[in-house]
Amino acid sequence: RPGVMQRLGLGYEVVCRDNPGIVYCSISGYGQTGPDWQLPAFEAILQAASGVMSINGEEGGRPVRLGASLADFTAGIFAALSIVTALYARRDDGQGRCLDISLLEGQLALMSPFIVEHLLTGIVPVALGTASRSVLIRLYGRAWFEGRYMTFFKPVTVAALLATLVLIFAFQADN
């Protein structure tokens, strides 16, 4: 929970005074700053807020929570990758880093193909049961964009890739 380590006297500002090369990682529901930083974050809330529940379940049915704690797993993976990246950077410049990992941002990163699909086509992603989740297959099979039929090698592929990279780099820049 944001603020706990500061209250205990173990916040980044205090710890890095003794060790400026420390790699300090905080994981919280919505990040250490921003409008929702103090809100509690539970798996079901994060899956709903990110849209994950809206694409899970039977077609035409109500949103369904995933059985796995995807937000926790994703945040852990992003934290591990960020820590390794910070350690490599420290090897080059000697500087420590303060990493801020948000469970919600991890969920949004996983939703990026669906977000891109919606932004490019206006199609609102929905639960499809056991049907294919591949955005490219769905776009290849039935979507029109600016009067052109999209295929794997047309603008949607490049746009999806670029949007995903932008989300990743934005996530890294915040940390």
Side-chain angles (χ1 to χ4, degrees):
R1 188 172 274 172
V4 171
M5 297 304 284
Q6 287 81 357
R7 283 195 305 276
L8 294 173
L10 296 171
Y12 176 71
E13 297 77 18
V14 173
V15 174
C16 76
R17 272 189 242 133
D18 292 331
N19 182 359
I22 193 163
V23 173
Y24 188 100
C25 183
S26 298
I27 301 175
S28 62
Y30 302 94
Q32 301 295 308
T33 61
D36 297 330
W37 72 275
Q38 288 184 312
L39 292 178
F42 301 101
E43 185 69 30
I45 293 170
L46 293 164
Q47 286 185 22
S50 66
V52 168
M53 286 175 60
S54 70
I55 61 165
N56 189 45
E58 292 300 318
E59 188 170 0
R62 294 176 27 185
V64 176
R65 180 197 183 282
L66 296 176
S69 295
L70 195 62
D72 294 333
F73 296 148
T74 305
I77 291 167
F78 282 145
L81 290 171
S82 298
I83 290 167
V84 169
T85 302
L87 290 171
Y88 273 103
R90 182 182 71 186
R91 182 187 64 183
D92 294 338
D93 65 15
Q95 298 297 310
R97 304 285 191 283
C98 181
L99 308 173
D100 180 9
I101 307 297
S102 159
L103 279 77
L104 180 63
E105 288 174 347
Q107 294 298 280
L108 291 172
L110 294 179
M111 290 295 292
S112 63
F114 298 98
I115 295 168
V116 169
E117 176 186 22
H118 176 69
L119 293 174
L120 290 175
T121 67
I123 295 171
V124 176
V126 295
L128 298 175
T130 58
S132 173
R133 293 254 182 262
S134 172
V135 172
L136 294 178
I137 290 171
R138 290 199 334 250
L139 290 174
Y140 178 74
R142 66 177 186 224
W144 290 82
F145 182 69
E146 295 180 1
R148 293 178 298 184
Y149 197 70
M150 290 187 284
T151 68
F152 286 30
F153 304 105
K154 295 252 173 136
V156 67
T157 306
V158 175
L161 176 61
L162 289 176
T164 302
L165 290 173
V166 165
L167 287 171
I168 291 169
F169 285 116
F171 178 78
Q172 293 291 334
D174 285 344
N175 295 313

